[in-house]
Amino acid sequence: MTDTQTIQPPRSERYNPQSIETKWRKIWLEQKLYQFVEDPSKPKYYAFTMFPYPSGNLHIGHWYSAAVPDARARFMRMKGKNVFFPMGFDSFGLPAENAAIKRGINPKVWTYQNIEHMTAQFENMGTMIDWSARVVTSDPEYYRWNQWFFIQFFNKGLAYKKESFVNWDPVDQTVLANEQVVDGRGERSGAVVEKRLMSQWNLKITDYAEELLNFDGLDWPERVKLMQTNWIGKSKGAEIDFASPGGPITVFTTRPDTLYGATFMVLAPEHALVKSLTSSEQLETVNAYIEKAKLESEIERTAEGREKTGVWLGSYAVNPVTNEQVPIWIADYVMATYGTGSIMAVPFGDARDFEFARKFGLPIRVIARAEDGTEFDSSTMTEAYDGPGILVNSGVLDGMKAGKEFINESIAALEGLGVARAKITYRLRDWLISRQRYWGTPIPITYCEKCGAQPVPENQLPVILPDDVEFLPTGQSPLKLHPTWKNTTCGKCGGPAERDTDTMDTFVDSSWYFMRYLDPHNAESAINSEKVNQMMPADVYNGGIEHAILHLLYARFWTKAARDLGLFEFGEFAHTLRCQGMILGEDGEKMSKRRGNVVDPDNLVAEYGTDTVRLYLMFLAPWEMGGPWNSSGITGPYKWLGRVWSLYFDEVSANEPLENVTEKEVRFAVHSALKKVEGDLERFSFNTAIPAMMELTNILGRAKRTPGMLEKSVWTEALEILNTILAPFAPYIAEEIWSHTQGAGTSIHLQNWPSVDESALTRDELEIVIQVNGKLRGKMTVSSSASKEDIIAEAKVAENVGRFLEGFEVVKEVYVPGKLVNIVVKG
């Protein structure tokens, strides 16, 4: 940065963002300005944003999630970091397939047209994205390695197939993972999800449940960590077996201390033992109940306050501590997918069991008294009791305290009897990845009559999707219907075999793409382990918090599983996570075409320019919170950029009044703004950085009208620093200004971030606000070296203050150093 060069206004032209931005976009692409080059002399900095689905158009939400963090990535580059900032497209999935059905075209055509259009939109966004690292998950060169990972997991026992009840979306005609079901409905379609028994591929994410609960060293939002912790749902309790005619019925309970109060059992209608435990007399009634339960969604079956229904199977189990026979029922409020699909019912202490027992006349055994000594009578109880108490009528447990916090003692006692086993369970279920759709990664498994399920040999990867497929309105996968694609040979014996016609959940694609960015065209391996170990964990990852228990949890699992394959050394993919809020419509509602409140960024760019749109998105709300769009607000940043332009390129008009701004005031304003903007960028506080630059612009506008200021080196420094700190936020106008003030051949985006001169932040004089009883009564200027006593004394006699003190008793004098004096009076 020069100290003596005088920046003179070289011209006077109106700020025209469209011409500036078109010019620099072309130059940056030609110069490959943003292509990452390894530089061992600089500390690495890997920053990336969740990649989008190629829906066809970037909406304002994409801008908010990508353009805003781009400012921070640019800042880090100017701070001397070797910044890698890639982008790609999460391009497999249902929307493309549904579009193909609707339009009668192949999903590939629709997808790749959208990718090219959206790539151009990203370029218009003015980001420093390194497009040479672009990853497109529907490219065979990418999904080949999805298949390779699957085979490694299969060989290690992490990928397995089992028959189980799954979430079936009747609209999208596919299975959904538990995480993709929201309030009993498909996350994407909104359809009520059904339960179906199917053979499906799963990944053993549960093997990593305990490690996934460890967030040590991660700078992630507490809300995300809490959401993942709750979803994993670690529970400590005991497994207990109840003998029955069909074999042992195993239950898991977090309240083994209540075992003596178990007076009946309840199985899910889908439980594997239901058939063998149903008596001939009850068979018709039980079958009818099961068929009825199949038609109900999970949310309906487990809704709080819903009247309990159930059917006795006509058989009994044995309570292992009382040796009493307890009737076995089925009821739809018990789910096969939770726990063991069976519960020991303790109506004394559980509200659902109490309601069920009262309705069907089942016994309620009192097993505790309240801590205050209150006794309970089961015949008069109107609700279950789950408060603190002392166990009674509980054999070896009598006298122990009741409650989850005391279960260690009860488990030890029951283990001593040989009827319980200490157990830790998790709410988390294995990741079901089979999808009955076409537009996804084919599962690389073949089925041979002789050898059974066999992985495709690695030298035959990728298993490529066929292009000549037919889509039916039923939504059935074309892979099942294709006349030849599924016919192949067994990789083990060479005999005839059939391919698996399911494809992988698209969350597989997004679970490791950030590793592929580092060597996206590697034909020899999924990742470049050397580069991955050098650049990861990533320094910062940005995206929506709505992915906390889907993508973010799966990506953490995949990273740990890949680590255990020996591919790299770390177990977390990103050190820091920052989640942006949501931009709402002007009506305060989520943007949607149906509401008519969608904001098109392309239209805004055409009218105001990219820099203005970027600035307004950073200015309108705290980035992590988001907020409603205000169409009138965008003119503010646009006008401000016009004033910035004027600072550099317009001459002072003879009609403007002269000012008297000192050099010290200019340097104080410049370095104060520099310090503020730098700190705000470090903290992702974009909305407070921009007002600091606006305030600096106002002060420099006054300084420009101060006689002789333009010939001083402080003016040169001021304009250079303003230009530099503006660059991350508004890259086009900053580059244009730099090219005229510093000369062609250099880029503002390759400059170093200026250093704060702390000496410039010391002031000889301070402006002090004077309050009387908390109300503003005046201001005064004092020496920065003045004592507290002198400042308070001067405040009392300041103009317009004395009359508010006359006749009153001063009871307190408060001085906030460098800011205000408050004199408290009464009388």
Side-chain angles (χ1 to χ4, degrees):
M1 189 172 291
T2 59
D3 291 326
T4 58
Q5 178 187 0
T6 300
I7 298 180
Q8 296 288 356
R11 63 181 187 179
S12 179
E13 294 180 5
R14 180 177 174 272
Y15 170 51
N16 185 341
Q18 285 73 21
S19 63
I20 292 172
E21 292 168 6
T22 300
K23 176 181 73 173
W24 286 112
R25 193 155 47 244
K26 183 173 182 292
I27 292 172
W28 291 341
L29 286 171
E30 290 172 351
Q31 294 180 345
K32 298 182 179 178
L33 184 67
Y34 301 124
Q35 188 165 319
F36 176 71
V37 177
E38 292 184 46
D39 186 349
S41 68
K42 296 180 178 180
K44 69 94 178 174
Y45 196 82
Y46 184 2
F48 69 113
T49 296
M50 292 181 185
F51 60 174
Y53 187 83
S55 57
N57 213 35
L58 290 182
H59 53 70
I60 205 69
H62 290 120
W63 276 67
Y64 199 56
S65 64
V68 180
D70 172 74
R72 194 172 185 277
R74 288 178 175 278
F75 163 69
M76 286 297 177
R77 191 186 199 192
M78 299 175 84
K79 288 284 285 183
K81 302 291 180 68
N82 194 26
V83 177
F84 181 46
F85 192 62
M87 182 55 73
F89 291 93
D90 192 10
S91 50
F92 269 144
L94 282 170
E97 191 160 343
N98 290 338
I101 295 171
K102 183 177 179 180
R103 294 173 174 83
I105 60 173
N106 191 289
K108 181 188 290 187
V109 175
W110 184 84
T111 298
Y112 283 85
Q113 287 175 346
N114 291 347
I115 286 173
E116 293 314 306
H117 178 65
M118 292 172 71
T119 299
Q121 287 183 303
F122 266 118
E123 291 170 353
N124 292 347
M125 197 186 286
T127 62
M128 59 171 286
I129 290 171
D130 178 2
W131 286 108
S132 69
R134 187 179 81 170
V135 161
V136 178
T137 62
S138 55
D139 285 350
E141 75 166 355
Y142 183 84
Y143 71 73
R144 165 191 180 181
W145 299 107
N146 282 348
Q147 296 169 342
W148 180 85
F149 270 116
F150 180 93
I151 291 170
Q152 310 316 305
F153 293 163
F154 176 83
N155 291 336
K156 196 178 178 183
L158 281 177
Y160 68 96
K161 197 173 191 180
K162 72 171 183 177
E163 191 173 72
S164 58
F165 284 94
V166 298
N167 305 305
W168 179 259
D169 188 317
V171 171
D172 283 337
Q173 292 284 302
T174 192
V175 166
L176 303 178
N178 288 338
E179 293 85 347
Q180 291 168 298
V181 180
V182 180
D183 294 335
R185 296 180 179 271
E187 181 185 45
R188 201 204 68 82
S189 71
V192 175
V193 169
E194 303 170 0
K195 290 292 181 183
R196 286 194 180 183
L197 188 63
M198 298 177 69
S199 183
Q200 302 283 284
W201 286 100
N202 296 263
L203 297 181
K204 281 190 177 180
I205 190 173
T206 52
D207 280 8
Y208 291 86
E210 193 63 35
E211 191 178 353
L212 288 167
L213 288 169
N214 184 352
F215 300 95
D216 289 351
L218 291 187
D219 181 12
W220 285 31
E222 288 302 317
R223 185 181 169 197
V224 172
K225 292 190 279 189
L226 179 61
M227 290 169 73
Q228 290 197 2
T229 298
N230 290 341
W231 186 258
I232 294 167
K234 182 178 180 179
S235 296
K236 183 178 181 180
E239 278 187 342
I240 301 169
D241 294 332
F242 286 68
S244 81
I249 302 174
T250 301
V251 300
F252 171 79
T253 177
T254 58
R255 294 296 306 276
D257 55 324
T258 66
L259 176 57
Y260 284 84
T263 58
F264 60 99
M265 300 196 75
V266 184
L267 309 186
E270 304 86 359
H271 196 286
L273 291 180
V274 168
K275 184 176 180 181
S276 62
L277 291 172
T278 302
S279 67
S280 56
E281 294 82 5
Q282 291 292 100
L283 184 60
E284 184 176 345
T285 304
V286 168
N287 286 341
Y289 188 84
I290 292 173
E291 290 303 312
K292 181 175 178 293
K294 285 181 180 178
L295 302 176
E296 298 171 332
S297 69
E298 184 171 322
I299 191 169
E300 290 173 328
R301 287 173 58 171
T302 59
E304 193 171 334
R306 181 173 184 256
E307 183 181 1
K308 299 296 180 287
T309 64
V311 174
W312 177 44
L313 297 182
S315 57
Y316 296 85
V318 177
N319 183 317
V321 289
T322 65
N323 290 318
E324 295 174 344
Q325 286 198 324
V326 294
I328 307 170
W329 288 65
I330 59 170
D332 59 8
Y333 73 87
V334 178
M335 306 300 300
T337 52
Y338 291 154
T340 62
S342 57
I343 65 168
M344 63 176 205
V346 183
F348 173 81
D350 183 273
R352 293 184 309 173
D353 296 344
F354 182 90
E355 182 183 343
F356 196 91
R358 279 284 188 253
K359 179 172 181 178
F360 294 105
L362 296 166
I364 299 172
R365 175 175 285 116
V366 173
I367 53 168
R369 66 171 182 270
E371 282 189 327
D372 63 4
T374 301
E375 303 280 354
F376 296 96
D377 183 343
S378 61
S379 64
T380 59
M381 289 178 68
T382 58
E383 60 183 1
Y385 179 76
D386 193 28
I390 305 299
L391 293 172
V392 298
N393 302 321
S394 295
V396 297
L397 306 182
D398 275 354
M400 293 184 183
K401 289 186 176 181
K404 287 184 180 181
E405 60 270 38
F406 307 112
I407 65 169
N408 287 339
E409 189 177 0
S410 60
I411 289 175
L414 294 173
E415 283 183 323
L417 294 178
V419 299
R421 302 175 295 277
K423 178 80 172 179
I424 292 176
T425 66
Y426 302 88
R427 179 178 182 266
L428 181 69
R429 292 291 172 261
D430 280 340
W431 178 10
L432 193 156
I433 66 163
S434 294
R435 297 295 181 269
Q436 293 67 47
R437 301 306 296 250
Y438 162 74
W439 193 235
T441 300
I443 292 176
I445 294 290
T446 61
Y447 300 94
C448 168
E449 285 191 10
K450 180 179 177 182
C451 305
Q454 293 294 320
V456 173
E458 290 181 24
N459 62 7
Q460 294 180 21
L461 300 179
V463 178
I464 295 179
L465 288 170
D467 289 334
D468 56 333
V469 293
E470 182 182 0
F471 291 91
L472 300 178
T474 60
Q476 285 181 288
S477 171
L479 296 181
K480 282 191 173 184
L481 308 173
H482 195 281
T484 60
W485 181 83
K486 63 183 177 182
N487 298 325
T488 187
T489 55
C490 175
K492 185 176 182 181
C493 71
E498 286 194 357
R499 298 188 189 280
D500 196 306
T501 58
D502 283 353
T503 55
M504 297 185 198
D505 179 9
T506 55
F507 280 107
V508 166
D509 307 331
S510 58
S511 290
W512 67 282
Y513 72 104
F514 34 82
M515 303 175 195
R516 187 69 178 178
Y517 275 148
L518 292 159
D519 197 359
H521 306 300
N522 189 332
E524 303 301 320
S525 60
I527 64 172
N528 183 320
S529 293
E530 182 181 356
K531 289 186 177 181
V532 167
N533 272 318
Q534 286 174 354
M535 295 296 292
M536 295 188 72
D539 295 271
V540 64
Y541 188 28
N542 301 301
I545 199 168
E546 67 272 14
H547 295 290
I549 57 172
L550 287 162
H551 159 59
L552 290 171
L553 188 62
Y554 292 152
R556 291 184 66 216
F557 155 69
W558 199 282
T559 302
K560 297 174 191 304
R563 173 205 59 197
D564 291 346
L565 293 176
L567 297 179
F568 43 77
E569 300 167 356
F570 52 87
E572 297 288 355
F573 71 92
H575 171 265
T576 299
L577 174 72
R578 291 294 179 267
C579 298
Q580 79 274 5
M582 182 181 292
I583 296 296
L584 305 173
E586 292 201 65
D587 55 3
E589 300 291 338
K590 185 177 179 179
M591 288 188 186
S592 70
K593 291 180 180 178
R594 180 176 58 83
R595 289 193 178 97
N597 62 354
V598 174
V599 174
D600 186 342
D602 289 354
N603 293 339
L604 295 171
V605 169
E607 185 172 0
Y608 298 104
T610 294
D611 283 339
T612 294
V613 179
R614 287 171 60 104
L615 285 167
Y616 186 51
L617 285 171
M618 298 180 215
F619 181 66
L620 67 83
W623 184 67
E624 71 279 6
M625 294 177 61
W629 182 266
N630 181 350
S631 57
S632 63
I634 197 170
T635 59
Y638 181 72
K639 291 177 180 177
W640 172 56
L641 287 180
R643 292 197 299 273
V644 170
W645 183 266
S646 178
L647 267 182
Y648 291 87
F649 299 131
D650 290 352
E651 296 181 1
V652 177
S653 170
N655 297 325
E656 293 183 83
L658 297 179
E659 294 279 354
N660 184 25
V661 180
T662 67
E663 292 181 56
K664 282 189 174 183
E665 287 176 318
V666 170
R667 294 204 80 232
F668 179 84
V670 168
H671 286 273
S672 294
L674 171 59
K675 188 171 186 176
K676 172 67 174 169
V677 171
E678 181 172 339
D680 286 346
L681 280 170
E682 292 279 5
R683 295 185 295 271
F684 290 81
S685 297
F686 308 97
N687 65 308
T688 54
I690 293 168
M693 291 188 288
M694 290 178 170
E695 183 179 350
L696 174 60
T697 306
N698 293 337
I699 294 171
L700 294 183
R702 291 175 50 224
K704 186 176 180 179
R705 299 194 298 274
T706 297
M709 182 62 73
L710 299 188
E711 285 73 42
K712 298 182 182 297
S713 61
V714 69
W715 179 251
T716 301
E717 179 195 44
L719 291 192
E720 285 189 9
I721 289 179
L722 175 59
N723 192 183
T724 307
I725 65 177
L726 176 64
F729 301 89
Y732 290 111
I733 189 174
E735 189 78 291
E736 179 73 6
I737 292 170
W738 188 263
S739 71
H740 286 285
T741 58
Q742 302 296 324
T746 62
S747 171
I748 183 67
H749 303 297
L750 297 179
Q751 304 308 307
N752 293 325
W753 189 261
S755 298
V756 176
D757 184 350
E758 294 290 343
S759 67
L761 302 181
T762 60
R763 307 187 75 172
D764 295 333
E765 293 183 328
L766 302 172
E767 185 176 68
I768 301 295
V769 170
I770 307 169
Q771 297 176 342
V772 177
N773 287 348
K775 294 183 179 181
L776 178 64
R777 298 306 184 191
K779 294 180 181 180
M780 65 181 183
T781 300
V782 300
S783 169
S784 59
S785 60
S787 67
K788 172 183 175 181
E789 291 73 18
D790 288 344
I791 291 172
I792 292 175
E794 190 171 343
K796 289 180 178 179
V797 297
E799 184 181 357
N800 195 44
V801 174
R803 64 192 181 94
F804 292 102
L805 303 179
E806 191 174 346
F808 293 94
E809 178 188 355
V810 176
V811 296
K812 191 174 184 182
E813 299 166 344
V814 178
Y815 174 54
V816 179
K819 294 184 179 180
L820 65 85
V821 170
N822 182 30
I823 303 167
V824 182
V825 299
K826 72 174 182 178

